[in-house]
Amino acid sequence: MASPLALALCLGCWDSSEPASGPIKIPSQPIAGGEIVVACASDIPGLNEIATSSSQTSTELILRMFVKLLDELPDYQDHPPTFEPRLATSYEWSEDHRTLTFHLRRDAVWSDGVPITAEDVRWTWQVQTSDQTVWENASMKEHITDVEVVDDYTARYHFTHAYPGQLVQANEGAILPKHAWGRLPLEQWRTNLPWFTDNLVVSGPFTLDSWTPQEEIVLKRNERYFEPGIPYLDRVIFRITPDPTSQLTQLRTGVIDYIRQVPAEAARQIDASPKTRLLTYWPAQFNPIIWNTKNPLFSEPSTRRALALAIDRQTIVDTLWYGFAKPAKSPVISSVWAHHKEMAPLPYDPEGARKLLAENGWTDSDGDGILDRDGERFSFELLTNIGNRERNDAAVMIQDQLKKIGVQVSPRPVEWNALDDRMSSGNFGAIIMGLGLDTSLDMSSFFKTDPEGKELNFGYYSNARVDEIFSEISTVLDIEAARPLLFELQEILQREQPHTYLWESQRLVGARSTLQGATPSSVGTYDQMRYWWIFPQD
Amino acid sequence: MARFLARRIASAFVLLLIVLSVAFFFTRLLPGSPAARSSMTSRLTPEQIEILRSSYGLDRPAVEQYFTWLGNIFFRWDWGPSFSYRQPAAQVLRQALPNTLLLGLATLIIQYALGLVLGVLTAHTAGGRVDNVLRGLSLSVFSIPSFWLATLAIFLFHERWHLLPAGGMASPGSTQVPLGERWLDLFHHLILPASVLGLLGGVMIAQYLRNNLVEVLDQDFIRTARSLGFSKKRILWHHALRNALSPLVQLLGLSLPTLLNGVLVIEVVFGWPGVGQVLFSACSARDYPLILATTAYGAILVIVGSLLSDLLQRFVDPRVRLEASP
Amino acid sequence: MNTSLRWGLGILSLLVLMAILPPPIDPVEQVDPAASLHRPPGTLLHQLELEDGRALLVDRLVVRGRDVEILHRGQIRTLPRASITNLNPDGSTTQSRRFLLGSDRFGRDIWSRMMVGARVSLLIAILAMALASTLGTLIGVIAGTSGPRLDNLLMRGVDAAMAFPSLFLVLGLAAIFQPSTAQVILLLGCTGWMGTARLARGELLSLKDQDFVVASRSLGQRRSIIVLRHMLPNALNPLMVNATLMIGSVILAEASLSFFGLGVQAPTPSWGNMVSEGRTATHLVWWSAFFPGLAIAVTVVAFNLLAEGLRQSLDPRTQSTRSP
C-alpha cells in the first residue's frame, strides 16, 4: 500500500532547477519559417464571425484570417488610441462629420485571387445588419444608414448623426468575401456553419490548413496576403487544451509555445526559466463589486462607502496576485489616458467604516457580533462565478475582512448562466464581476439611469448628474476633449460607490523564449501574429 | 432466443424514451436561456433575441417543443441544430463519439487484463503474503481520486520522465496525418488516460474476481477435483475461472455507467477530444439540443452495453437459460 | 475480529479523533495572508498585534532597545517596541502559528483545515451513504417482494437511472441550486442508490423460496411482517458491507465534484475542495494538495478494510476458507 503514496511523495522532492544552459542567442533579424503551438481553452464554433456566437478565442482567431479596414493600436496611455491603415489606406470625414470615406488598397486580393473591393465592404455591412444573421454586434451599426460603393476601391459610410464612436463602429467587424460566402442564402447562415469552412476564402495573413474538432485548428500562411514576406511563420497550431494546469505543464515541457493565461502563482517561475518568457499587459478590464442599489442594505451611498473602506484591497492584491496587480479606484484603469491620476484612492479604514455605519443606524444591539438595524441583520450573499479563482478567493477574503466590522458575508459561487440570469433580473445583493471597457470609454451602459435593466447597469444605479455627464459627452466629437467630464464622473463614482473597484490586474501570457515579436496587448493576445517569428534552438 | 431478444430490445427502447423525456424537461428547468445568453458579453438587442427564440422554437410551449423534438428523433434521427456550433447536433457528436469509444474500449481492455491477472494471482495465493501485499496495493490505488491520479501520472510520465504526452490524441500538427501512419502516435497518447482509468477499474475487478474464485474454490466439485489429484493451477484455470466468468461478464454491464462517467472526467483532464468535452461546453452554453443529444448517446451506450453483456452472460454461463428471465 | 476489521476500525477511530478534536489554529480566519501564504510544512511564524489593530506574521524578531527588528515578507524592518501590544517582557510574543503541514494560499493552516475538513467530508459521506442506502433498500425490497409487474417497472426505473449520465445530472443540478454542503449530500445520495436497489432485490428474491419464508407464509403471516421480521434481517449483512464500501466511493465522488467546482464551497474546507484547490499549484507547493489527498486515500482504504472485515466476519462460509 505504500507504493503510490511514495510516488506521490516524489512531488516533495521535485527539483525546480533546470539543467544549466547558456543564455539563448536571439538572432537580430526575423527568420521566416517554422511553426508554433498555441494553447486555447476551448474549440471555436466556426470561422464566420457573423454567423457564430463569438468568444474571445474565436474572434481573435478569425482576425488572423480576415482583416479589418483599420487596426486599432494599443497606444492609449496618453491619448485616445490611434488607427493604423490595414485594408484601407486612408480615410476622410465630410464637412458635417456624417459621412466617412475609406480608400482601399489596390493590391489586396482574396486567397482565390479575386480582388477585395468596396462591394465586399458594402455586402459585409448588409449581412452584419441583417435580421436573418442576428449578429451579436449588430447594434454597433445602428447609426449607419448606408454604405455606398463610390468606385471599386472607395467605400463611403453614411451616419444618422455625428457622435464620438463613429470610426470605431464603422470599423467593427472584418470584411468578408461577397463572391464566395454570398452564395449561401442568408436563412441558412445560422444552421450551416461548416459550409463557411468548406468554402473558405480569406484576406488575412493566415488561412486554414486543417481543423480537427475538439483537438486542434491549424493555420498556414496565406501566400496571397498583401504584405510581401509576411507572415514569417509557416504554420500556427491552435491546440485545444481545456485544463489550465495541463496548459502550464506543456508550456514548461516544450509541447506548447504560447499560453494566454498563466496563473499568477506560477508566473515568476515561467519568467525565471531560460526556456520560457512571461509577457504581460494591462487588459482594459475592471473588477468591481456591484452593489444592488435597490436592495435596502446598499441603497445609501454612505453605506456602500463604508463597505469600501472596510475592504483591504492592498492585502487582497498582495495575496492573490503575487505582484501582478494593484488596487483599483476607477473603472478607467490607470494605464488609460482618461484615468483620474490625482484622485486619491479610498483608504483601508475599518474604524471610519464602523463610524459611517453607526451614523446610518447600524449597531450591534443584540451583541452577536453582527450589526443590525430595526431588527434586520447586516448580512448578504456575495456572488461570483464558479471557476474564476481570483474572484472566488477575493470573496472569501472580503468575508473575513467585513466580519471585522460586523458585516456578515456569505461567498456564493454560482454557475455562469445562473449568475447571468440573476444579474440581469436584479435578483442579488452584491456580485464580484469583471467588466470590459473598450477604448471608446463609453460607460453609459454601466451607470446611466436604466430602470428596466436593459443595459449593463445591473445595480440600478441612478444619479442625475451622471446622466447629464453622459449626454454632454455624447455631443463631444473628440473624446479627448471630454477629459474633464470623465474626471468628474470618476469622482462621483468614487464618492457614491455604485461599484467598489477591487483591483486591476495584468494579463500574464507565457511564451517560449525562442518565440519573438509577440506583443500581446489589450487589442488582443494574438495581435500582430503576422510579425511573430521563431528561431531554432541549438 | 428471438423472443428474449425482442423483449430486451423493446424494454431498452422504453428505457431510452424515459431517459430522453426526463432529460428534456430537466434542461428546461435550467436557469438561463440559450437565446438570451450572456448579457455581459453579447450585445443582442431584445428584437434579435426574439428572432433567435422563435427560430429555435423556444417561444412555443414546452410540451409542443417536446413532441416536435421527439418526433424528429424517431422519424428522422434529427437531434436538432446545435445552438452554439450552428450545425446539426448529431454532426458535432459524430466527430467526438469515436474518440470516446476508443478511450473507453482501451480502458476496458486494460481493466479486464489487469483484473484477470491480478485476480487470479491473488486467489491463487489467497491468505498468503503475495495476496496481502497485492490487495493492499490495489486498495490504495483504488482510494485515490481519479483526477488526482491523472495529475500525478502527467507529472511523472510527462513532466519528469518525458516518456508520454500530457494530453490530446495526436502530436501537435499531426491530427490530419492518415491513421495508418500515426497509429503509434495515437497509441502513445492513449496510454496515460486509458491506464489511469484502467488501473482504477482493474483493481476493482481483481478484488471481485478474487472473492468469487475463493468462493468457487471452496465448492464441492473443486474439492472433488482436488482429491482426484488435479494440480492447483489446473483447477484454478480450467474449472474455477470458468465458473467465475459469468459474474465478471455481469459486472461488465453494471460497470458501464461508471466507466462512461470516468471517461468524461478524464477527457477534460487529458484534453481528449471526446463527448465529455462536448457535454461540458454544451452545458455552459445552454445548448439544449446538444446537451440532450449527448445525454441520449451516453444512455444508448450504456443500454446497448448492458444488453450485450446480458447476451454474453447467457453465452458463457450454461446455467442461465435465455427464456427464463423477465 | 479479523485483521481487516481491526485495521479498518483502528484507522477510522484515528480519523474520528481528528474530526472531533479542536483544530490548533482557526481554519478560516486569515491573518496577514500575504506574509503567510504557501509556507512549507513545519514553518513557525510569530504573530505581532499592532496598536492600530492590524496583525503581522513575522519569521523572526529581535528586540533592540526600544525597537524591534522583524523579518516580514522577506524584508527586514524595524518597528517601535511600543507599537506592539502582545510582546512579553523577555521579547517573545504571546502568539505564534506553527504550520504543521504547511499553509494554503491564504496563509491558513492546512492541518487545521484538514481536521475541520474531516468533519465535513465524513459527514457528507455518511449522510449521503445513508440516503442512498435507504432509498436503494426501499426500492429493492419493494421490487423483490412484490409481483412481477411492479418488480419489472421498478427495475426498469433503476436501469433508467443508471443509464442517465450522472455528470449531466450533476452539472444541471449545480446550475439550478447553489452549491452547498446539503446539495452535495443530496446529489451524491440521489445518484448512488441504484446498486443498492439491485443488491437488495437480488437478496430478497433469493430468500423468497427459502424454507423459513415459505413456512411463515404458510402459517398465514402478513407479507409486511414476513419481509420485515424474516427476510430483511437475513439480507442485512451484504447490505451493510455494501453501505460501508459506498462511504469510500462517496468520499471520492465528493472530491470529483470539487474538481468541477461544484462541491463544498469556500470557506468551508472539505478534503475534496482542498485537493482541487491545491492541484493548480502542485508543482510549486506540493503540500497544498498532497496532504488532503492522502487523507482521502487513507479514509477510503479504512472503509474498504472495514467492509472487507465485515464481509469476512459476517459470512459464515468465508470462515472455513481461512483454514487451509
Side-chain angles (χ1 to χ4, degrees), chain A residues 21 140 168 190 276 298 315 336 355 361 368 409 444 508 516:
Chain A
S21 60
M140 288 190 79
V168 174
R190 275 182 307 103
T276 51
F298 311 118
T315 299
V336 172
K355 259 182 228 142
D368 65 349
V409 181
S444 59
L508 307 170
Q516 295 296 316

Side-chain angles (χ1 to χ4, degrees), chain B residues 15 135 139 151 254 261 291, chain C residues 156 166 168 198 279 308:
Chain B
L15 203 60
R135 279 168 63 210
L139 190 55
T151 309
L254 287 179
N261 278 321
I291 296 176
Chain C
R156 289 293 84 79
S166 61
F168 164 61
R198 285 200 168 174
R279 196 178 77 98
E308 175 67 14

Side-chain angles (χ1 to χ4, degrees), chain B residues 93-110:
Chain B
L93 278 174
R94 200 157 47 232
Q95 294 152 348
L97 196 65
N99 301 341
T100 298
L101 286 179
L102 178 67
L103 180 56
L105 201 67
T107 305
L108 218 55
I109 292 172
I110 295 181

Side-chain angles (χ1 to χ4, degrees), chain C residues 4 26 37 49-50 57 115 143 177 195 202 205 224 231 239 284 308 318:
Chain C
S4 300
D26 187 323
L37 58 94
E49 299 288 344
L50 301 187
L57 286 176
M115 292 177 77
F177 305 106
L205 277 182
S224 55
M231 294 171 79
L239 285 176
L284 297 172
E308 175 67 14
T318 36

